[in-house]
Structures are given as C-alpha cells and as structure tokens.
Amino acid sequence: MKKVETKKKDIRALTREQLRDFFVENGDKAFRGNQVYEWLWQRSAHSFDVMTNVSKETRSMLEANFVINHIKVDLMQRSSDGTIKNAVRLHDDLVVESVLIPTKTRTTACVSSQVGCSLDCLFCATSRLKRMRNLNPDEIYDQVVAIDNESRLYFDRPLSNIVFMGMGEPLMNYKNVLSAIDKITSPEGLGMSAKRITVSTSGVPKIIKKMADAGVKFKLAVSLHSAIDEIRTSIMPFNTTFNLTDLREALEYWYNKTKSRITYEYVVWEGINDTQKDARALVDFCRFAPAKVNLIEYNPIDDGAFQQASKKAVEMYVDVLEKNGITVTVRRSRGKDIDAACGQLANKS
Ligand code: SAH
C-alpha cells in the first residue's frame, strides 16, 4: 500500500515564542517549548529521540507534526594545507559547499548562503550554477556547527571566525542570512561575537543601506575587482544594475551609520585591471571612509579567460594603496587542490 506523506513543517522555522505557543495549544506547558528550542539550536539535535528531558509521548507528538531538516555532510575533503571542504546535502537533496580554513591562530568557516548564485561574475565557478534556491537560516547555521565540530576534532579549538564567502550572494538572501547570524551570535545558539563574522557581497546598494539601518554588528566586505564602471561591468555584468555610483553612495551611508571599516576584495587580472589607472581609481573609490583592500590571488576556473596579473602589477597596487594610506594585504589562496578556494565552489564532486 502506498504511504501517504503529509508535509510536515520544519520545526526550526518556528521562533521560540511559536514553539511555546504550540505546546500550550496542545495542552502542555510553555516551558517545554524552551527545552525543545534549546535542543534544536544550542545542542543541534538531529532527531527528536535525543531529547531525553522530554517524555516519549511528547517526542512522538513532535515527530508526528514536524521534521528536523538537518544538513548532512556527504563528503569531507582535506587539502594538503589543512583546509577542509564539506559537501553538504540538504533535505531536498541539493548540495552546497562550505570550507574550514585553519591558520596558526584562527579557524575560519566559509559558508554558503544560496544553492547556486543569483549573480553572474564571469570569473567565478559558482555563477555557472543556476540559483536553485535560498538557504534557510537553519541550513546556514548547521554549516557553521559542522565546521565548529571539525575544528574541535582536528584542530583542538573552537571555530573563531565566519565569512559568508561560500556559494551565493548573501544580500540576495538577506532575511535568512540575518536570521542565521542572530542564532549564531545568540547565547541560545553558538554565542559567537558578531565582530567575528564578515558578510561578503558583490554590492547590492539597497540592502547595504537596509543593513546599516538595522544596526548590524558584523563586518562588511565588498567584492569590488574594479572601480571603473565599464571594466566592472565587463567582468560582473550585474554592475549595470548596481553601478559603482550607487554602490559607493550606499557604502558611505553604511560607514556613517556603523563606523565600521569596509574591506574590499580585489583580484588583479592581466590585461583587465592591472594598470596604474586602475589602481588610482580604486584609491579614489575607497577614500571616503577607512578601508582595507585584500588583494586575492586568482583561482583559475577552467577556460583560461582570466589570468592572474604579474607579481609586479600586484606590487604596483600595494605601492599605490599604501602611499595613499589604505591598508592592503596580499592573500594567498587556500585549499586549491580540493577546489575549495575563493570562486572554486561548484559541487564538482
Ligand atoms: N557573492 C559574495 C560571496 C561569494 S564570493 C561576493 O561576491 O562577495 C567570495 C569571494 O571570492 C568574492 O570576493 C569573489 O569575488 C571572489 N572570487 C570569485 N571567484 C574567484 C576566483 N576564481 N578567484 C579568486 N577569487 C574569486
């Protein structure tokens, strides 16, 4: 006989209040909601069975009404430099990737915010995947928990930092990203400081302003790659919609409200943005507020359309930026051998 499955609700889509109400409506005490909430978030329960401080009957009742759509790490790969990449299976069998990046003093989790990506950066492997859907807050949270566990297991220390630099454009999934960060920073969740979280965006002006208004405490990084509209549009076509004038205006608004320094991510490519003129445009663009520029190494993604610029060109950038009082760092790639570096996340395995 064919089993008829009624669609059960994802219990982690409920707020603490809603969960408390659910118990009251079902003739139980409101505080039962607190107990279950703690199991779901602080203790990352994968099933109702483990909730040993609630009765068997209650657990069965929860089972009958809800599901816990916990992520599953399908495949974990380790790079020769210690970087770990997780292929994460979601409840509907879609897959995203997240990365653990260890240094001497830190462990950073690089998490995904969408399945695929809404944007069209020509140099990024993820942009070739169609955006299938946004991740839910719990799916973002679970990626962080999985990496925190791996950090404790393999590096003997908890996770220290989180960057939203995995698959997807976090500002195109703003509500869920914010809600995940609320859980990550809440004492009811992981209790991490928002200052250790960086949200990276290709630049969606309207949402940058909205975040500034919301008084968020995490850091902002902007994938700039060119401060000249024509060039930026040629490598990041959505720049025709979200152009540099609007982006700059939004960033100025952000800085005035948050007083939080902005980081710019920037790859220097041969024949694209490797001249003095490009470097000076970058200086002009970020002059309005304290800024830091991360010059990221390009991670080739197959077709050879983009080439990392020469060492000399990168040094020229460092020189121009430093002379103008802008902090600059040159970033080496991590996890290249397992396709875990920036722009390489594309579910290849
Ligand atoms: N959508 C967000 C976050 C994901 S990308 C954003 O654009 O910021 C994370 C960073 O990797 C971005 O700075 C992006 O521009 C950069 N990146 C993308 N493809 C890359 C590649 N092939 N090599 C190096 N960096 C890349």
Side-chain angles (χ1 to χ4, degrees):
M1 205 170 74
K2 210 173 155 218
K3 206 171 144 197
V4 184
E5 279 271 337
T6 48
K7 213 167 175 309
K8 295 185 207 170
K9 206 172 154 69
D10 173 6
I11 191 164
R12 286 187 297 172
L14 266 57
T15 62
R16 176 196 276 276
E17 272 317 305
Q18 288 168 330
L19 202 53
R20 285 165 61 91
D21 291 348
F22 171 82
F23 279 103
V24 174
E25 282 156 21
N26 285 277
D28 205 330
K29 300 271 187 325
F31 84 86
R32 196 78 63 215
N34 297 348
Q35 287 178 312
V36 171
Y37 198 80
E38 189 183 299
W39 276 109
L40 292 173
W41 293 104
Q42 216 164 20
R43 302 165 84 158
S44 277
H46 287 224
S47 76
F48 296 110
D49 295 339
V50 298
M51 302 182 179
T52 44
N53 59 351
V54 298
S55 71
K56 265 206 170 129
E57 293 71 47
T58 306
R59 281 183 259 156
S60 311
M61 194 263 285
L62 288 170
E63 188 83 57
N65 284 281
F66 299 108
V67 284
I68 303 176
N69 283 334
H70 212 283
I71 63 157
K72 192 168 154 269
V73 176
D74 252 7
L75 177 71
M76 191 195 95
Q77 288 169 279
R78 289 192 81 172
S79 155
S80 54
D81 67 16
T83 303
I84 293 177
K85 181 169 84 170
N86 291 334
V88 166
R89 188 170 295 275
L90 310 171
H91 69 93
D92 52 3
D93 270 344
L94 292 171
V95 175
V96 293
E97 294 176 333
S98 24
V99 183
L100 178 161
I101 308 148
T103 66
K104 272 206 182 92
T105 51
R106 291 178 171 195
T107 309
T108 301
C110 174
V111 297
S112 294
S113 55
Q114 298 182 313
V115 186
C117 189
S118 309
L119 299 178
D120 50 9
C121 306
L122 301 183
F123 47 82
C124 178
T126 310
S127 76
R128 314 227 163 134
L129 308 173
K130 208 175 127 241
R131 187 203 75 103
M132 306 291 282
R133 70 171 172 86
N134 285 336
L135 293 190
N136 295 324
D138 48 294
E139 292 168 330
I140 297 170
Y141 183 86
D142 289 351
Q143 291 176 67
V144 175
V145 172
I147 290 180
D148 185 35
N149 290 337
E150 288 167 349
S151 180
R152 288 167 199 271
L153 186 64
Y154 298 108
F155 301 95
D156 216 10
R157 62 191 187 204
L159 177 68
S160 61
N161 297 74
I162 302 170
V163 293
F164 281 79
M165 293 186 190
M167 299 167 122
E169 170 48 49
L171 268 50
M172 296 285 201
N173 184 18
Y174 170 71
K175 220 177 105 223
N176 291 351
V177 165
L178 226 63
S179 160
I181 292 177
D182 277 349
K183 286 277 166 12
I184 293 165
T185 53
S186 153
E188 286 170 354
L190 297 176
M192 272 182 79
S193 160
K195 292 197 184 80
R196 294 179 171 276
I197 302 174
T198 301
V199 171
S200 175
T201 177
S202 289
V204 188
K206 215 170 89 187
I207 308 291
I208 292 173
K209 286 186 174 173
K210 208 167 158 174
M211 287 194 315
D213 286 335
V216 297
K217 295 281 183 286
F218 51 77
K219 293 188 189 149
L220 182 65
V222 178
S223 304
L224 197 62
H225 304 307
S226 175
I228 299 170
D229 264 318
E230 198 190 340
I231 295 174
R232 195 167 194 258
T233 300
S234 75
I235 54 176
M236 303 164 89
F238 64 85
N239 185 65
T240 44
T241 319
F242 307 130
N243 64 52
L244 287 167
T245 311
D246 295 346
L247 177 58
R248 208 192 116 125
E249 195 230 325
L251 292 173
E252 212 164 339
Y253 186 88
W254 161 273
Y255 181 73
N256 289 336
K257 287 249 167 173
T258 64
K259 296 287 176 243
S260 161
R261 177 173 82 170
I262 299 159
T263 298
Y264 297 96
E265 296 153 275
Y266 202 102
V267 179
V268 189
W269 286 286
E270 196 177 294
I272 293 177
N273 57 355
D274 57 352
T275 69
Q276 286 264 351
K277 188 178 163 212
D278 295 288
R280 279 197 302 268
L282 173 58
V283 168
D284 286 341
F285 185 90
C286 44
R287 225 191 262 284
F288 66 91
K292 178 179 163 197
V293 173
N294 278 341
L295 294 175
I296 318 174
E297 192 183 340
Y298 176 56
N299 302 306
I301 53 156
D302 66 28
D303 58 8
F306 290 86
Q307 306 282 344
Q308 166 73 40
S310 66
K311 228 174 138 195
K312 219 171 125 204
V314 175
E315 280 163 8
M316 178 274 292
Y317 261 90
V318 172
D319 191 49
V320 171
L321 289 163
E322 281 181 346
K323 279 200 176 111
N324 284 279
I326 295 166
T327 310
V328 53
T329 56
V330 180
R331 280 278 171 88
R332 294 270 328 276
S333 282
R334 303 288 306 270
K336 257 192 198 175
D337 55 339
I338 53 165
D339 284 325
C342 286
Q344 292 187 315
L345 302 184
N347 294 342
K348 266 201 214 162
S349 23

